[in-house]
Structure formats: structure tokens, C-alpha cells
Amino acid sequence: MPDIDKGIAFLQEQGYRVVVRNSGGLAVVLDSGVLNLSMVLPDAERGIAIERGYETMFTLIKDMFVDCNEVIEAKEIVNSYCPGSYDLSIRGKKFAGISQRRMAKGVAVQIYLAIEGDQTTRSELIRDFYAISGKDKQTKYTFPDVDSTVMGSLSDLMKNDISINETLVRLFNSLRHYAGELVSGTLTPEELDLFPAYYERLIARNDKVLA
């Protein structure tokens, strides 16, 4: 977008930090009511099909909320703030988006889940960001005309006060079912040693892209 500097300044004025994602295509909002999850799948002998990664995450999310008596669909929700073929929705309103990226020995499947909070405000924030950044001044890429009425949070769509902590409990229960044991949510000593260097690499990459 030709006026991306203005768009970034706008988001910063609203109290947000701006980070360039390493997967996905367009902008999403992260705040205290949004949960990000990543699933790293080891590569198979012939590679992992794109659809398999998406379907694996989709299956996990459906299992996490199997008791909620709502049909979760995977399809593109046009005019959501980051539309894609694996948008997750209930009654046509999107609450999550899945993306993935290839790694040296596998694939990372990533999802953002709007668990609670005001999706209308989030949608308007991204709509204004696109406009201020000059989405209509270039023709190479297409940016959505964000419609807040096609977005929703899980709490609103399921008519139930679902919290981030409750969602994490559901996640661990589903992982226990599939893996046979509870997966630890902490880093190993080796991972803790590697974390600072990888974090600095992320910051450097982000600064380079935004420069």
C-alpha cells in the first residue's frame, strides 16, 4: 500500500504495535481477547499437502468446541478483514482465520481466534487502516471493504461467556485426546537458551520490512 507509513502511524496512535506476520496475507488484530495458536507438523516423505495442514487445525478447533451445539464452517467470508478459504465462521460470521508457512522440516499452521471482545471495533480499525494506507491507490493487490457485520467473537456467536483461559483448557483437553497425554505449555531448557536469539531475529526482520 502506497501510504503504509500513514497506516502504521494510525495504528500506533490507537495504542497498537505493528508486526509483519510471517504467514497469511492481510491485517489482523491482536488484543487481550484474541488467542493465537501455532501447530508445527513434521514433514512427511512426500511433503504435507496444503489442505492437510488447514484441515488438521480445523478439526482441532471443532473438537475443542464440540459441546457448543453450533456448526463451525470453513469457507471464505468476503469482506472480513483478512478473507481466506479457511476462514472459520458460525452462521456466516467469521471468528477465526488460518494461515500456514513452510519450514525446513515441516509446516507451521497458525490460527487467530477472536474469543471475546468487540469485533465491530476491530473491524472498523482495520477498515480505517486500509483506507489510510491507500488501498485504492494501487491495482496490483486487492484489499477488502471490511464489513463489521460479517465478523464476530466466539462468545457472541455461541451466546456464552467464553474466556481465553477456558479456551486453553479446551485446547489441552483436545490435545490429550489426540496425543494420549497432556502436552506441556512450557519451554524446555534447550528452547529457553535459543529463545533470546530467535526473538532478536524476529525483531530485526520486522524492522527491516518496515524500514
Side-chain angles (χ1 to χ4, degrees), residues 29-208:
V29 180
L30 175 60
D31 57 34
S32 60
V34 179
L35 179 65
N36 282 343
L37 299 175
S38 293
M39 178 187 297
V40 181
L41 304 175
D43 214 348
E45 182 179 347
R46 297 184 178 180
I48 297 176
I50 293 294
E51 292 78 10
R52 182 182 174 190
Y54 286 124
E55 286 293 338
T56 300
M57 181 67 82
F58 181 34
T59 299
L60 174 63
I61 300 303
K62 288 191 294 184
D63 185 80
M64 287 168 56
F65 296 98
V66 68
D67 62 313
C68 292
N69 300 317
E70 292 287 353
V71 177
I72 298 176
E73 297 182 285
K75 62 180 182 180
E76 182 173 344
I77 302 299
V78 178
N79 289 335
S80 60
Y81 49 62
C82 182
S85 57
Y86 272 84
D87 294 335
L88 301 190
S89 61
I90 294 173
R91 299 187 302 278
K93 291 198 172 187
K94 176 179 174 177
F95 65 88
I98 306 175
S99 62
Q100 62 178 301
R101 67 185 181 95
R102 293 287 179 180
M103 302 169 63
K105 297 182 180 180
V107 62
V109 186
Q110 300 165 324
I111 188 170
Y112 79 87
L113 291 155
I115 303 299
E116 54 189 343
D118 190 344
Q119 278 292 79
T120 296
T121 299
R122 294 178 183 132
S123 300
E124 291 172 349
L125 177 78
I126 299 301
R127 180 198 63 198
D128 294 345
F129 164 70
Y130 286 153
I132 292 170
S133 299
K135 78 180 186 72
D136 295 326
K137 292 183 179 180
Q138 52 79 45
T139 58
K140 185 177 181 180
Y141 300 104
T142 300
F143 295 86
D145 296 317
V146 180
D147 180 1
S148 62
T149 65
V150 303
M151 305 287 290
S153 70
L154 267 175
S155 292
D156 290 338
L157 296 174
M158 293 186 174
K159 298 180 174 61
N160 188 16
D161 291 331
I162 301 172
S163 68
I164 295 289
N165 285 339
E166 178 187 343
T167 303
L168 289 173
V169 171
R170 289 175 176 272
L171 170 65
F172 289 140
N173 286 337
S174 291
L175 291 177
R176 180 187 294 145
H177 170 74
Y178 284 109
E181 61 181 5
L182 186 62
V183 178
S184 173
T186 60
L187 298 177
T188 66
E190 180 183 4
E191 289 168 335
L192 285 171
D193 287 340
L194 294 172
F195 179 80
Y198 277 96
Y199 183 77
E200 290 300 323
R201 284 175 56 185
L202 183 148
I203 296 299
R205 178 186 61 83
N206 193 62
D207 289 343
K208 182 179 180 180

